[in-house]
Amino acid sequence: MSNWLGLEALAVVFSLAYLVLAMRENSLCWFCAFFGTAIYIWVFGGVSLYMGSLLHVYYLVMAVYGWYQWRRGGVEHRGVRISRWGLTQHLYALFAVVLASAVSGHLLSQHTDAHLPYLDSFTTWGGVLTTVMVARKILENWLYWIVVDGASIYLYLDRELYLTAGLFAVYLVLVVLGFIRWRKHYLEQPITERRQEFAAPDVI
């Protein structure tokens, strides 16, 4: 795995910059996401995490979409505001992730040499969902990341991607701070702007 250490280190730097800037709602985060993602496509493919590699192809596209949403989306194309999902939306989303993970995990286990195919699939589909939530500025994205990042740490340690595992350990701290920061900004928004994405009552 040491052959990938240099590229992995560079991807970690871009990825950490992405999260810090995302916490601050700075649209430059999507440029960092784009470059970090491009590097990880090769790294994950090289260590047989095929779903993880495919996920980063998706991240590459979502970096462009996220930048557009933050800069030109929302009301009057002034950028999306922080909003929330209700219980129904969360249940649909969770069911879709579990089902997709089961299907792709089974296919990978039967037809490829993928390592930990079900866990790889779960972190992949969880990342797909949560990245959409980030692009749309759904407040609860940070809570989803806690689960996805925690599972990813085990996956990357198993594949000896120690820098990436360390990055995700840092992520676990930063996502909590991100949730606190975004929730504060959400509550500072006018009441009329808090229910753009099927939002739930302000109980968290």
Side-chain angles (χ1 to χ4, degrees):
M1 308 304 175
S2 59
N3 293 338
W4 299 97
L5 186 60
L7 283 176
E8 184 190 2
L10 186 59
V12 165
V13 171
F14 278 119
S15 299
L16 190 57
Y18 156 74
L19 187 57
V20 171
L21 290 170
M23 288 172 56
R24 301 176 63 85
E25 296 181 69
N26 188 321
S27 61
L28 290 176
C29 71
W30 297 108
F31 287 94
C32 294
F34 186 91
F35 291 113
T37 288
I39 297 169
Y40 267 130
I41 290 172
W42 299 105
V43 173
F44 284 175
V47 296
S48 301
L49 293 177
Y50 301 127
M51 288 298 291
S53 184
L54 185 60
L55 173 63
H56 281 75
V57 174
Y58 165 80
Y59 282 164
L60 206 65
V61 176
M62 288 302 295
V64 178
Y65 174 75
W67 179 87
Y68 177 82
Q69 287 297 316
W70 284 29
R71 298 285 295 184
R72 298 287 184 267
V75 179
E76 298 181 1
H77 304 290
R78 292 182 297 179
V80 293
R81 305 293 298 273
I82 298 174
S83 57
R84 297 185 57 199
W85 276 356
L87 178 61
T88 300
Q89 284 68 41
H90 287 298
L91 290 176
Y92 281 141
L94 292 172
F95 176 77
V97 168
V98 171
L99 179 61
S101 299
V103 172
S104 62
H106 175 74
L107 292 174
L108 286 171
S109 67
Q110 295 297 314
H111 302 292
T112 75
D113 63 344
H115 197 75
L116 298 174
Y118 288 96
L119 184 59
D120 190 14
S121 293
F122 172 74
T123 57
T124 296
W125 292 113
V128 166
L129 167 66
T130 311
T131 302
V132 171
M133 296 173 73
V134 176
R136 298 297 306 169
K137 284 195 177 180
I138 306 301
L139 175 63
E140 294 89 351
N141 87 82
W142 300 103
L143 303 180
Y144 280 57
W145 279 127
I146 291 175
V147 177
V148 174
D149 290 349
S152 297
I153 290 173
Y154 177 82
L155 187 65
Y156 299 146
L157 285 175
D158 184 79
R159 293 284 80 196
E160 299 180 20
L161 294 174
Y162 299 121
L163 290 178
T164 302
L167 170 68
F168 275 68
V170 173
Y171 273 5
L172 285 179
V173 177
L174 293 180
V175 294
V176 174
L177 299 178
F179 175 75
I180 294 171
R181 185 183 181 96
W182 275 35
R183 183 177 184 275
K184 178 177 182 292
H185 289 182
Y186 170 78
L187 294 175
E188 289 172 349
Q189 294 173 182
I191 295 294
T192 55
E193 296 182 8
R194 293 186 194 172
R195 288 171 167 77
Q196 300 173 6
E197 292 271 358
F198 314 106
D202 298 330
V203 294
I204 61 173

